[in-house]
Amino acid sequence: MPPRALGPFTVSPIGLGCMNICHAYGVAPPPEQAEALLLAALDAGVTHFDTAALYGFGASESIVGQVLAPHRSRFTLASKCGLTHETGDGTVKPGRVIDGRPETIRATCEGSLRRLKTDVIDLYYLHRWDKAVPIEDSVGALAELVRAGKIRAIGLSEVSADTLRRAHAVHPIAALQTEYSLWTRNPEIAVLQACRDLGVSFVAFSPVGRGFLAGALPDVAAVQALPEKDIRRPMPRFAPEHFARNLPLLADYRRLAADAGCTPAQLALAWLLQQGDDILPIPGTRTVEHLHENLGAADVRLSADVLAELDALINPATVSGHRYAEQARREVDTEDFAEK
């Protein structure tokens, strides 16, 4: 599959999300495993690496910097601010905090540059819009970082079409990132079209449904056995009552994968890639084996009939449970479907 545009950059059609290398899905892998994964991705042709100040409260950026800094010219580097545990006045909070004040954005960027061992971050996202701060002010601070040569392009994460347009009026937005997969279709409400209207690249995180579409959780017992700190535990979709309703979707889904000659994870990624050349999935993983499996999706071509079957099988009407718990829902600005 040809490379794709990520704002002003040209990158591999499938990137690597770097949250998994330090936290979120149970116990973090050992450093040597994370290093092997990053180098394997680079050697396999991945040229889009996505991290954030939030991930492990700087741990992901530190690992990416330590491992990939010697190869900095070979890839496009994306990171994020506005959602971390440090504020612009040097205060460290016990947990994560949404802070989009210009002084915090500037301070977070300086920390990211140090951890990533680079002079400039290619694509720097506002990880969450701080609704106490006008989006124009936060994007204005990011624009100052562009002018200062500390970042090259600006991105937004988990915002609505209206917020994207307000931000884009202040400074061109290169990319918008939000969750998008067969079982999370929120971008199709409005923001995906807004991106296309404005020429903004769309980066899709959690493209295999946080493991569900890869078949990583075969039954309710597997969900109940997730580690205590696994971020899926509070998500309604993974609650036993909802998960039990979602499991029957997998039988026909696996059949479609087998008919297409690919794995379930590859089917999810191939579906996403065929939704438009402006869509760039960034699956995360901890193993080189899964990395190569995910990248193999770029070679999968799905017929119009298979695409139609997938759309009919897994969609907002057939998936049970919201993607986020109530607090997380309040933190994002994305359009949402009505409660079922």
Side-chain angles (χ1 to χ4, degrees):
M1 182 171 288
R4 296 191 168 191
L6 175 62
F9 314 106
T10 299
V11 299
S12 52
I14 299 175
L16 181 66
C18 298
M19 182 172 70
N20 302 48
I21 63 174
C22 65
H23 88 300
Y25 294 101
V27 179
E32 58 271 20
Q33 183 177 335
E35 178 178 358
L37 174 71
L38 293 171
L39 291 175
L42 194 66
D43 289 343
V46 174
T47 57
H48 176 197
F49 290 82
D50 182 280
T51 183
L54 173 71
Y55 301 160
F57 293 134
S60 175
E61 288 183 327
S62 294
I63 297 169
V64 169
Q66 178 182 344
V67 176
L68 295 183
H71 313 282
R72 184 65 183 84
S73 63
R74 295 174 56 188
F75 64 93
T76 296
L77 176 62
S79 194
K80 308 178 194 73
C81 64
L83 182 58
T84 181
H85 70 315
E86 296 176 323
T87 61
D89 58 9
T91 303
V92 176
K93 300 295 180 83
R96 73 180 204 167
V97 59
I98 297 175
D99 189 341
R101 294 175 298 166
E103 59 268 30
T104 299
I105 288 173
R106 289 191 292 268
T108 304
C109 183
E110 292 298 332
S112 292
L113 289 167
R114 287 193 302 271
R115 289 187 291 269
L116 291 164
K117 300 183 185 298
T118 187
D119 295 327
V120 62
I121 298 167
D122 297 315
L123 176 59
Y124 204 46
Y125 292 91
L126 186 67
H127 205 161
R128 291 289 187 276
W129 174 34
D130 180 352
K131 297 172 187 176
V133 178
I135 190 66
E136 292 83 357
D137 291 357
S138 296
V139 173
L142 290 167
E144 290 177 5
L145 293 175
V146 172
R147 290 190 287 271
K150 296 181 184 293
I151 67 175
R152 291 194 171 102
I154 297 173
L156 299 175
S157 176
E158 293 277 31
V159 299
S160 67
D162 287 344
T163 302
L164 170 61
R165 291 190 176 94
R166 287 172 54 193
H168 196 74
V170 176
H171 188 281
I173 302 301
L176 183 143
Q177 179 174 148
T178 193
E179 184 176 356
Y180 188 30
S181 70
L182 270 165
W183 86 334
T184 298
R185 304 291 196 94
N186 301 62
E188 296 173 1
I189 299 173
V191 79
L192 183 55
Q193 186 58 53
C195 285
R196 288 170 173 162
D197 293 343
L198 298 172
V200 176
S201 299
F202 188 95
V203 176
F205 73 77
S206 297
V208 294
R210 303 185 188 276
F212 176 79
L213 296 172
L217 300 167
D219 50 39
V220 173
V223 175
Q224 293 175 320
L226 289 172
E228 181 181 352
K229 293 187 177 181
D230 192 296
I231 62 172
R232 290 169 290 190
R233 274 194 165 273
M235 293 178 177
R237 242 169 235 187
F238 293 93
E241 63 274 19
H242 290 296
F243 198 76
R245 297 189 194 109
N246 291 325
L247 274 174
L249 298 172
L250 289 179
D252 282 341
Y253 179 75
R254 291 192 188 99
R255 174 185 58 78
L256 287 169
D259 290 347
C262 65
T263 68
Q266 289 171 340
L267 183 64
L269 291 166
W271 175 86
L272 198 50
L273 288 167
Q274 290 185 227
Q275 299 309 299
D277 293 340
D278 53 347
I279 296 175
L280 300 101
I282 50 168
T285 184
R286 297 180 179 188
T287 71
V288 173
E289 178 185 4
H290 286 159
L291 166 73
H292 288 297
E293 177 186 352
N294 289 340
L295 296 180
D299 297 322
V300 176
R301 297 294 181 273
L302 304 177
S303 69
D305 288 344
V306 169
L307 291 171
E309 282 193 72
L310 286 169
D311 280 332
L313 177 65
I314 303 178
N315 60 64
T318 63
V319 173
S320 179
H322 198 276
R323 67 185 183 111
Y324 280 147
E326 186 58 36
Q327 179 179 340
R329 293 177 69 176
R330 291 194 299 268
E331 292 176 350
V332 300
D333 177 51
T334 47
E335 292 87 359
D336 204 355
F337 293 101
E339 285 281 4
K340 292 188 294 181

